[in-house]
Amino acid sequence: MDAEYWNQRYDQTELVWSVGPNMWVEQVASGLPPGTALDLGAGEGRNALWLVENGWDATAVDFSSVAIERARGLARDRLGEEAGRFHGLCANLLSYQPTALSSDLVMLIYLQVSADQRRSVIASAASAVRAGGLLLVVAHDSDNLVHGYGGPQDPSVLYTKADITADLATSDLSIDRAEQVVRVVTTDAGPRQALDALVVASRPAHN
């Protein structure tokens, strides 16, 4: 994880990622009542911004100060009077500790770190899920390296649904969904299939 590399990358282009949300974030969150969301490793904040547009209060956390400043600018441009419900925070996920039981939806979307680092970050993310809330983890699946399209080519930062569920084994969360899913990518040569690992876990609501 190199914040300076990402600062340079975000500083040299209009948008590194798409304007709209990740398709799996949209799929999972569209069925939820608006609440408080925490997007860890948020980049330019596309998922958090989309959630605010749909009634949520969302915090985007990333170690790139350039990405967070861009997210704040997008919030001012896109959200108008609702911009106050978007919060950008520059922090390294390896040391950042979110407030326990604070969020209705916690997201880790395409986090690319080593296995030991991933376990630590996922544990922190799980701790932030409040009663009745969800954790959504989406990753470039390990199988994507050989059988899918695009994504990182370093196998050490790829993982599977089984890896994610194992990381959550000591948490208080229940696994609601654990799948390898297909994401269609549009290319100049036509559609291609990328393989993602998707896990949704929940903390039981209080009786």
Side-chain angles (χ1 to χ4, degrees), residues 43-55:
E44 298 151 314
R46 61 178 180 142
N47 297 313
L49 290 164
W50 175 80
L51 286 169
V52 173
E53 288 174 331
N54 286 273

Side-chain angles (χ1 to χ4, degrees), residues 97-181:
Q97 186 60 52
T99 302
L101 307 176
S102 60
S103 299
D104 299 295
L105 174 63
V106 180
M107 300 177 290
L108 276 171
I109 310 300
Y110 302 123
L111 178 69
Q112 298 172 32
V113 294
S114 69
D116 287 344
Q117 292 171 336
R118 184 195 73 235
R119 282 189 281 271
S120 174
V121 175
I122 287 181
S124 294
S127 74
V129 179
R130 65 167 43 120
L134 296 180
L135 171 66
L136 170 62
V137 182
V138 178
H140 298 284
D141 196 280
S142 297
D143 286 346
N144 193 66
L145 193 62
V146 175
H147 302 293
Y149 174 84
Q153 299 301 296
D154 178 0
S156 70
V157 300
L158 304 178
Y159 41 107
T160 67
K161 63 180 183 181
D163 293 323
I164 301 167
T165 57
D167 292 346
L168 291 169
T170 58
S171 75
D172 296 328
L173 304 186
S174 301
I175 304 300
D176 300 333
R177 181 179 175 188
E179 302 175 32
Q180 182 183 89
V181 289

